Amino acid sequence: MNYFSSNFKLGIIGGGQLGKMLLQETRKFDVHTLVLDPSESAPCKIACNEFFVGDLMDFDTVYNFGKRAGVVTIEIENVNVEALEALEKEGIKVYPSSKTLRTIQDKSQQKLFYVDNNIPTAPFSRFAYKDQILTAINNESLSFPFVWKSTRFGYDGYGVKIVKTYSDLDNLTAGECITENLIAFEMELAVIVARSVSGQVATYPVVEMEFHPEANQVEYVICPARISDENAKKAQLIALKTSAAFNHVGLLAVEMFLTKNGDLLVNEVAPRPHNSGHFSIEASITSQYEQHLRAILNFPLGSTKSKAAAVMVNLVGDENYNGPVAYENIEKILSLEGVTPHIYGKKETRPFRKMGHVTIVNQDLTEARKIAEQVKRTIKVIST
Amino acid sequence: MNYFSSNFKLGIIGGGQLGKMLLQETRKFDVHTLVLDPSESAPCKIACNEFFVGDLMDFDTVYNFGKRAGVVTIEIENVNVEALEALEKEGIKVYPSSKTLRTIQDKSQQKLFYVDNNIPTAPFSRFAYKDQILTAINNESLSFPFVWKSTRFGYDGYGVKIVKTYSDLDNLTAGECITENLIAFEMELAVIVARSVSGQVATYPVVEMEFHPEANQVEYVICPARISDENAKKAQLIALKTSAAFNHVGLLAVEMFLTKNGDLLVNEVAPRPHNSGHFSIEASITSQYEQHLRAILNFPLGSTKSKAAAVMVNLVGDENYNGPVAYENIEKILSLEGVTPHIYGKKETRPFRKMGHVTIVNQDLTEARKIAEQVKRTIKVIST
């Protein structure tokens, strides 16, 4: 397929910030791009060739959109899978595949997939509805504390709760769910694997994720993770195994726990460019976005080596502000060494809403981590 | 001024490839952008908020465009200067200033400016029309060989010729021009200086430019230049002096000759992001495009340090092809270490037309230079 021909069109489902960063990379290859998003004011609108507004969960919308493209990819998981399946049947390339997406969309299926493929993951139980949890507690097959996850539509900490007491049960939604043992972990890690149409693979360095204690959102992503070479190798192998098990094409971000007794357990995966790979724009020889394109267009993959150590800071709305956004002290952080801001352009801030991110690169990771803290302390996402 | 407010608008005059790369960086700051270009199909159209079609040399077009913006910048020098002057009088910030642009647009004025400001440059003569050259040769105030430059509208080797014999005179256009002694130079160098509204300055490392022998176009840009630290420091000081003399705001690319006897002479300048700074996208902590924005929006400047050594290869149309473009062997170059392509998306190729560039980064400059040659030998810009 000649991707440089104006006859070739790449369809991206979802027009959010990840899509926008992906679109910027399509310029390097001059690929003609189509984007589908439910919002008329999606970030991608400014950076694609053709923009379509529509419901991503509607069969006809997704199907008709995909029919315009030669290759279809996603920047969000909540997409009508039946439509993707129909597109595949008609010879349109869909990466990730409908099958992969179907498995990943359902946390219960995702967990079963790990078990079936000998991919280490935390023990879990499945429940068709919430009341079954109470029964399980009463007959002692489940005990506090545990992690509750809605099987569908969870993201960024939504649909996930730590349940410590009976009263915590009141805050859970009623539908299908899983529970997992609460893992005593040392650290949360992530590895991004790229796998191309022809099966070439490349793994990025293992990154370490520090979470905000209240919001259950990643606050810092640190590359490389401060772990032993042995653990790093082990984590990369697990990620590669996961990607191969899915027969995946494109990026797969594999999130893991490093437990207190040194085990690595897969927590969840995202089959697309991922927050844990933003650092790669500044720090890697090939950014995750360029790599995703190389993978799905079946070009040779690029080098995943780092040019520098990096720390990524998520910029989230201050917890005390709601309304039209303002970035306090952005000038101050710009005067620090190696700081690149990425303001996403959302007009309104809310407590803990993701409003952007900042990458800090430095030849010395400890120094980068220090500057990251300074960035975090200095910049405030408030309202005017 | 609050650049993050939707009331603030940045106007970019010229909608070409440099503008497009600049626009990508505006996303990091979520700046609202306006672009003016004569072509309905300009590369910038896909990446700005509002796009206007119009003649850049027409007073009313440029003036009316500028009135919509809070800050106006350019990505091409051939712009109606009187309109910029009128905008400045009404309080609109124009970077570079109309005064700087007026001086740079006219090669004769540019040379006089260097002389007035004690900036080293090759000796030259001014001629109001071509026939005066012949008179000068006849009365022995000018002798072969020499360099002829049209005072206006030269770019990429157009409007510049080396004159060795009487018959070479026939190929020159008739209008105002300058002639320069032909400098026996060791190397051509360039330094990009950033200077912010508040006068903060930063210089990028000195780069070395290798020219294509026939097309008089830059073929490789090598960062850092393979010169002594002493010469590098000297070149950076000359560039800083030039930027200060213009009281410049934004980027100034200063091209120089390193002569056989070790002198540095300023050849010409460009008051904007420049081909000699493309390497910075992949290799520098702050890319030249982000730096230009920081400078004109009066943010603190970013670090100009390199994360890796880099070689930039210009991708130009093969001399034997005209027509709809195709990129032969692009897959092969993508399998080489540290290679990032930038395909500009021009639909038609012509001999030596700039169709894109490729950056090669590596911790070892010699290795990067080798891979660059391999890239150059492998990829071919042909027609289908």
Side-chain angles (χ1 to χ4, degrees):
Chain A
M1 207 178 301
N2 180 7
Y3 299 113
F4 299 104
S5 142
S6 54
N7 298 325
F8 173 75
K9 292 176 183 181
L10 172 66
I12 302 173
I13 302 180
Q17 191 57 37
L18 292 168
K20 196 170 78 177
M21 293 191 269
L22 182 62
L23 281 169
Q24 294 208 344
E25 299 297 308
T26 64
R27 297 302 90 220
K28 288 184 186 168
F29 297 94
D30 189 39
V31 173
H32 188 99
T33 52
L34 319 174
V35 171
L36 176 67
D37 193 86
S39 166
E40 183 60 55
S41 61
C44 280
K45 198 178 174 183
I46 197 180
C48 64
N49 294 92
E50 300 175 54
F51 183 74
F52 300 86
V53 175
D55 181 356
L56 308 188
M57 294 308 289
D58 179 62
F59 181 94
D60 288 343
T61 304
V62 171
Y63 176 80
N64 292 329
F65 172 78
K67 287 288 281 180
R68 298 168 183 270
V71 172
V72 171
T73 190
I74 55 143
E75 63 106 48
I76 187 167
E77 285 92 330
N78 294 332
V79 175
N80 186 298
V81 178
E82 289 74 24
L84 297 181
E85 216 163 38
L87 291 166
E88 286 166 343
K89 281 190 187 133
E90 299 191 25
I92 289 163
K93 309 290 181 198
V94 180
Y95 307 125
S97 70
S98 63
K99 198 177 160 208
T100 296
L101 215 51
R102 192 187 289 280
T103 304
I104 289 172
Q105 278 182 351
D106 184 315
K107 284 200 174 135
S108 165
Q109 294 304 315
Q110 203 184 127
K111 290 293 276 191
L112 289 172
F113 180 85
Y114 299 144
V115 174
D116 287 348
N117 289 280
N118 288 315
I119 294 162
T121 191
F124 71 106
S125 306
R126 301 165 66 194
F127 300 97
Y129 47 92
K130 191 172 99 174
D131 287 356
Q132 289 186 329
I133 296 180
L134 204 62
T135 315
I137 294 170
N138 290 341
N139 67 26
E140 293 180 8
S141 64
L142 181 66
S143 57
F144 297 117
F146 60 86
V147 180
W148 166 90
K149 293 180 178 176
S150 169
T151 55
R152 310 271 302 174
F153 307 125
Y155 64 97
D156 280 357
Y158 298 98
V160 177
K161 293 226 186 305
I162 293 173
V163 180
K164 291 177 185 159
T165 63
Y166 280 100
S167 67
D168 286 344
L169 292 172
D170 300 340
N171 302 319
L172 309 180
T173 51
E176 203 189 331
C177 60
I178 60 170
T179 63
E180 281 179 0
N181 294 2
L182 191 61
I183 299 294
F185 62 82
E186 198 59 46
M187 215 181 249
E188 294 202 45
L189 305 172
V191 180
I192 292 178
V193 184
R195 197 161 172 280
S196 76
V197 176
S198 61
Q200 193 193 354
V201 291
T203 54
Y204 281 87
V206 184
V207 300
E208 177 187 336
M209 299 185 290
E210 284 185 46
F211 279 71
H212 186 282
E214 285 161 60
N216 194 26
Q217 278 182 331
V218 178
E219 194 167 24
Y220 301 106
V221 172
I222 298 165
C223 179
R226 293 163 294 184
I227 55 175
S228 68
D229 286 355
E230 194 199 330
N231 275 333
K233 239 174 233 162
K234 227 168 96 186
Q236 286 179 318
L237 281 175
I238 290 171
L240 280 168
K241 187 176 173 181
T242 310
S243 164
F246 278 115
N247 203 11
H248 191 62
V249 173
L251 296 186
L252 188 75
V254 183
E255 298 186 47
M256 298 177 211
F257 298 119
L258 174 60
T259 69
K260 296 246 186 237
N261 31 11
D263 292 327
L264 284 161
L265 301 176
V266 171
N267 181 24
E268 55 182 42
V269 300
R272 50 166 171 80
H274 190 248
N275 189 274
S276 67
H278 285 343
F279 77 90
S280 66
I281 300 174
E282 284 81 14
S284 305
I285 287 184
T286 312
S287 90
Q288 67 166 341
Y289 300 98
E290 180 181 335
Q291 196 75 294
H292 185 66
L293 287 177
R294 287 182 181 228
I296 66 176
L297 301 181
N298 204 21
F299 286 134
L301 297 179
S303 167
T304 53
K305 281 188 208 152
S306 291
K307 294 179 277 192
V311 178
M312 193 273 306
V313 181
N314 274 322
L315 271 187
V316 298
D318 189 284
E319 54 185 324
N320 302 311
Y321 292 87
N322 261 297
V325 68
Y327 302 90
E328 201 173 75
N329 294 329
I330 190 159
E331 308 77 14
K332 285 190 187 151
I333 70 159
L334 287 173
S335 69
L336 300 172
E337 174 79 14
V339 168
T340 304
H342 293 262
I343 304 294
Y344 296 166
K346 298 176 185 175
K347 298 303 169 208
E348 301 274 321
T349 183
R350 290 191 302 268
F352 304 113
R353 186 178 191 196
K354 272 194 202 165
M355 302 300 288
H357 75 263
V358 178
T359 305
I360 298 96
V361 294
N362 202 291
Q363 291 309 324
D364 177 25
L365 180 61
T366 312
E367 189 59 27
R369 183 64 184 75
K370 263 190 218 157
I371 296 170
E373 261 187 51
Q374 217 174 327
V375 165
K376 190 80 197 175
R377 267 202 315 273
T378 306
I379 192 168
K380 289 248 174 308
V381 184
I382 58 170
S383 66
T384 47
Chain B
M1 207 179 299
N2 179 7
Y3 300 113
F4 298 105
S5 142
S6 54
N7 298 323
F8 172 74
K9 291 176 183 180
L10 172 66
I12 302 172
I13 302 179
Q17 191 56 37
L18 292 169
K20 196 169 78 175
M21 292 191 269
L22 183 61
L23 281 170
Q24 295 209 343
E25 299 296 308
T26 64
R27 297 303 88 217
K28 288 184 187 169
F29 296 96
D30 188 40
V31 173
H32 189 101
T33 51
L34 319 174
V35 170
L36 176 66
D37 193 85
S39 164
E40 182 61 54
S41 61
C44 280
K45 198 179 176 186
I46 198 181
C48 64
N49 293 94
E50 300 175 54
F51 183 73
F52 301 86
V53 175
D55 180 357
L56 308 188
M57 295 308 289
D58 178 62
F59 181 94
D60 288 342
T61 303
V62 173
Y63 176 80
N64 291 330
F65 173 79
K67 287 289 280 181
R68 298 168 183 270
V71 171
V72 170
T73 190
I74 55 142
E75 62 105 50
I76 187 167
E77 286 91 330
N78 295 333
V79 174
N80 186 298
V81 177
E82 289 73 24
L84 297 180
E85 213 163 41
L87 290 167
E88 285 165 342
K89 278 189 187 132
E90 299 190 26
I92 290 164
K93 309 292 179 195
V94 180
Y95 307 124
S97 70
S98 63
K99 199 176 160 207
T100 296
L101 214 50
R102 192 186 290 280
T103 303
I104 290 171
Q105 278 182 351
D106 184 315
K107 285 202 172 134
S108 165
Q109 294 304 315
Q110 204 184 128
K111 290 291 277 190
L112 289 172
F113 179 86
Y114 299 144
V115 174
D116 288 349
N117 288 279
N118 288 314
I119 294 162
T121 192
F124 71 106
S125 305
R126 302 166 64 193
F127 299 97
Y129 47 92
K130 190 172 100 173
D131 286 356
Q132 289 186 331
I133 295 180
L134 204 62
T135 316
I137 294 169
N138 290 341
N139 68 25
E140 293 181 4
S141 64
L142 182 66
S143 56
F144 298 117
F146 60 85
V147 180
W148 166 91
K149 293 180 177 176
S150 168
T151 56
R152 310 268 304 174
F153 306 125
Y155 65 95
D156 280 355
Y158 298 98
V160 176
K161 294 226 185 301
I162 294 173
V163 180
K164 292 176 184 161
T165 63
Y166 280 102
S167 68
D168 286 343
L169 291 172
D170 301 341
N171 302 319
L172 309 180
T173 52
E176 202 187 331
C177 60
I178 59 170
T179 62
E180 283 180 359
N181 295 1
L182 190 61
I183 299 296
F185 61 83
E186 197 60 46
M187 214 180 250
E188 295 203 45
L189 304 172
V191 180
I192 292 179
V193 184
R195 196 161 172 281
S196 76
V197 175
S198 60
Q200 193 194 352
V201 291
T203 55
Y204 280 86
V206 184
V207 300
E208 178 186 337
M209 298 186 291
E210 283 186 46
F211 279 71
H212 186 283
E214 286 161 59
N216 194 26
Q217 277 183 331
V218 178
E219 195 168 23
Y220 299 107
V221 172
I222 297 164
C223 178
R226 292 162 296 183
I227 55 175
S228 69
D229 286 354
E230 195 197 332
N231 276 335
K233 238 174 231 160
K234 228 168 95 184
Q236 286 180 317
L237 282 174
I238 290 171
L240 280 168
K241 188 176 173 181
T242 309
S243 164
F246 278 116
N247 202 13
H248 191 62
V249 173
L251 296 186
L252 189 74
V254 183
E255 297 186 47
M256 300 178 210
F257 297 119
L258 175 61
T259 68
K260 295 244 185 239
N261 33 10
D263 292 328
L264 285 160
L265 301 176
V266 171
N267 180 24
E268 56 181 43
V269 299
R272 52 167 171 79
H274 190 248
N275 189 273
S276 67
H278 285 341
F279 77 91
S280 66
I281 299 174
E282 283 82 14
S284 304
I285 287 183
T286 312
S287 91
Q288 67 166 342
Y289 300 97
E290 180 180 335
Q291 195 77 295
H292 185 67
L293 286 177
R294 287 182 182 228
I296 66 176
L297 301 180
N298 203 23
F299 286 133
L301 297 179
S303 167
T304 54
K305 280 187 210 152
S306 292
K307 292 178 279 194
V311 178
M312 194 272 306
V313 181
N314 275 322
L315 272 189
V316 299
D318 189 283
E319 54 186 323
N320 302 312
Y321 292 88
N322 261 298
V325 68
Y327 302 91
E328 202 173 74
N329 294 330
I330 189 159
E331 307 77 13
K332 286 190 186 150
I333 70 158
L334 287 174
S335 68
L336 301 172
E337 174 79 14
V339 168
T340 303
H342 293 261
I343 303 294
Y344 295 166
K346 297 174 185 176
K347 298 301 168 210
E348 302 274 320
T349 184
R350 289 192 302 268
F352 304 113
R353 186 178 190 198
K354 271 192 202 165
M355 302 300 286
H357 75 265
V358 178
T359 304
I360 297 97
V361 294
N362 203 293
Q363 292 309 323
D364 176 27
L365 180 59
T366 312
E367 188 59 27
R369 183 65 183 75
K370 263 190 219 156
I371 295 171
E373 260 187 53
Q374 216 176 325
V375 165
K376 190 81 195 174
R377 266 203 316 273
T378 307
I379 192 169
K380 291 250 174 303
V381 184
I382 59 170
S383 66
T384 47

